[in-house]
């Protein structure tokens, strides 16, 4: 029998994969900050309507000052991660950026070892090494495509990945240790992101380079897909037996969806070599999932 967290996590992974494709389409040759803000606004409006139709909006609005301060920390982590990732996605091919993002479970596991003293078994260690090897292969392929390790795009995608891993560890703390209501968390988290990203957009317009903005259908689609993926994800993490390292692992297998669509839609290069690197990530992920 499947664990209670498995199916919602798998649904989240599929939604996240399609979300990544829409995100790539929305930021391609476009201004990042308005895309981020408008996508988040669209997703938040969708979530409010969705919660109201379910009859869950009123309970979700109940939030103490302490709970709100905890949610704000998550909002700052995620907004920082998104800003890094969105700028990186504008610069990098999706078949390179998405698999690097998919290594987030590795860093989540490392965080679990450092913070919660979770020592990996032999096969978990092999899986971690395999993912690291795939990660290094993608970095070398990025250098061949004109995106060396020290390039802005690569540095941003790595920073965004590490911040995302920190956010996953924090999710476990919020939903299992602090026992926050998952719908309250998602509502105030989404509202916080509107404030943070809206402020960042205004500051960018006042003091930064003004890249031209183009409205695309994929902007609201990006926000709505993320809300749906996060809804399934928060449900999975809120389960009593939910292991955050395994949830992060299954969720980041969304890179398989983005890799295939990136090949078909965006015509990315070096597909055969990237396929071998992707297989290393999948093999490492399988080892982590099956290892006892």
């Amino acid at each position: 029998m499947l664990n209670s967290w498995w199916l919602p996590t798998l649904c989240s992974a599929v939604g996240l994969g399609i979300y990544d494709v829409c995100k790539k389409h929305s930021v391609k040759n476009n201004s990042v900050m308005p895309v981020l803000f408008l996508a988040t606004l669209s997703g938040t409006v969708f979530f409010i309507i969705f919660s109201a139709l379910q009859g869950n909006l009123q309970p979700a609005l109940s939030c103490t000052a302490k709970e709100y301060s905890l949610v704000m920390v998550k909002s700052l982590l995620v907004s920082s991660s998104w800003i890094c990732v969105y700028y990186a996605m504008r610069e990098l091919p999706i078949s390179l950026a998405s698999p690097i993002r998919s290594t987030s479970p590795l860093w989540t596991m490392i965080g679990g070892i450092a913070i919660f003293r979770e020592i990996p078994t032999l096969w978990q260690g092999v899986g971690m090494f395999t993912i690291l090897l795939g990660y290094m292969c993608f970095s070398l392929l990025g250098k061949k495509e004109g995106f060396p390790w020290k390039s802005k795009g690569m540095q941003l995608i790595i920073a965004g990945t590490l911040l995302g891993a920190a956010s996953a560890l924090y999710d476990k703390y919020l939903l299992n240790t602090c026992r926050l209501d998952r719908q309250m968390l998602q509502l105030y988290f989404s509202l916080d992101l509107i404030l943070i990203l809206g402020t960042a957009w205004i500051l960018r317009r006042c003091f930064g380079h003004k890249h031209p903005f183009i409205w695309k259908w994929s902007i609201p689609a990006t926000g709505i897909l993320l809300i749906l993926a996060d809804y399934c994800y928060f449900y999975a993490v809120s389960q009593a037996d939910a292991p955050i390292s395994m949830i992060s692992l299954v969720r980041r297998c969304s890179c398989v969806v983005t890799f295939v669509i990136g090949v078909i839609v965006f015509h990315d290069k070096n597909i055969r070599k990237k396929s071998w690197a992707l297989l290393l990530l999948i093999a490492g992920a399988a080892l982590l999932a099956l290892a006892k």
Side-chain angles (χ1 to χ4, degrees):
M1 185 175 178
L2 291 175
N3 291 311
S4 59
W5 53 267
W6 181 265
L7 186 58
T9 305
L10 187 62
C11 292
S12 179
V14 174
L16 201 62
I18 304 171
Y19 154 79
D20 272 340
V21 175
C22 287
K23 178 169 64 178
K24 173 65 178 178
H25 181 270
S26 66
V27 298
K28 188 175 182 181
N29 300 319
N30 209 351
S31 182
V32 169
M33 291 312 304
V35 168
L36 254 175
F37 174 76
L38 293 171
T40 304
L41 180 62
S42 300
T44 303
V45 171
F46 172 80
F47 180 73
I48 290 172
I49 295 171
F50 179 68
S51 298
L53 291 174
Q54 284 189 313
N56 295 327
L57 182 58
Q58 190 64 36
L61 288 170
S62 177
C63 180
T64 66
K66 182 180 179 180
E67 289 173 336
Y68 182 75
S69 65
L70 291 171
V71 175
M72 177 57 79
V73 173
K74 173 174 174 58
S75 302
L76 290 170
L77 274 173
V78 172
S79 58
S80 299
S81 175
W82 283 4
I83 289 171
C84 291
V85 170
Y86 271 64
Y87 275 104
M89 291 288 276
R90 190 175 68 184
E91 305 292 330
L92 300 174
I94 194 171
S95 58
L96 179 64
S98 183
I100 291 176
R101 285 280 291 149
S102 74
T103 62
S104 183
L106 172 66
W107 312 116
T108 302
M109 179 171 284
I110 291 173
I113 294 170
I115 298 170
F116 304 112
R117 301 293 186 266
E118 298 174 355
I119 307 301
T121 64
L122 173 62
W123 285 110
Q124 285 174 336
V126 173
M128 292 168 70
F129 176 78
T130 305
I131 290 178
L132 268 176
L133 187 60
Y135 183 72
M136 294 303 297
C137 287
F138 272 112
S139 71
L140 292 173
L141 288 170
K143 187 173 182 179
K144 287 183 179 180
E145 290 188 13
F147 302 100
W149 185 263
K150 294 183 179 180
S151 71
K152 183 175 72 173
M154 290 293 283
Q155 289 180 346
L156 286 171
I157 198 70
I158 292 166
T161 299
L162 293 176
L163 287 166
S167 176
L169 291 167
Y170 192 58
D171 289 337
K172 177 74 173 180
Y173 171 74
L174 292 178
L175 291 168
N176 273 245
T177 303
C178 298
R179 298 290 181 182
L180 296 190
D181 179 79
R182 60 186 176 86
Q183 291 193 317
M184 181 276 289
L185 170 60
Q186 189 168 8
L187 175 62
Y188 282 96
F189 161 62
S190 300
L191 292 171
D192 285 346
L193 284 177
I194 291 176
L195 294 175
I196 294 169
L197 296 174
T199 302
W201 181 18
I202 291 170
L203 292 174
R204 182 69 173 169
R205 283 183 60 86
C206 293
F207 304 106
H209 174 68
K210 297 179 180 63
H211 196 286
F213 170 69
I214 304 169
W215 172 260
K216 299 181 181 181
W217 63 265
S218 53
I219 294 174
T222 298
I224 292 170
L225 282 165
L226 184 62
I227 286 291
L228 293 173
D230 275 353
Y231 185 86
C232 295
Y233 165 71
F234 284 135
Y235 176 81
V237 177
S238 69
Q239 301 304 299
D241 62 340
I244 189 62
S245 58
M246 295 299 104
I247 288 175
S248 297
L249 173 71
V250 175
R251 194 173 188 239
R252 278 300 162 193
C253 286
S254 60
C255 70
V256 176
V257 177
T258 53
F259 183 85
V260 173
I261 298 178
V263 172
I264 297 171
V265 177
F266 298 109
H267 308 294
D268 289 349
K269 299 181 295 182
N270 292 324
I271 300 307
R272 182 173 297 179
K273 293 179 180 178
K274 288 176 183 175
S275 296
W276 286 110
L278 184 66
L279 283 174
L280 285 172
L281 292 182
I282 295 173
L287 283 170
L288 289 179
L290 298 173
K292 300 293 185 181

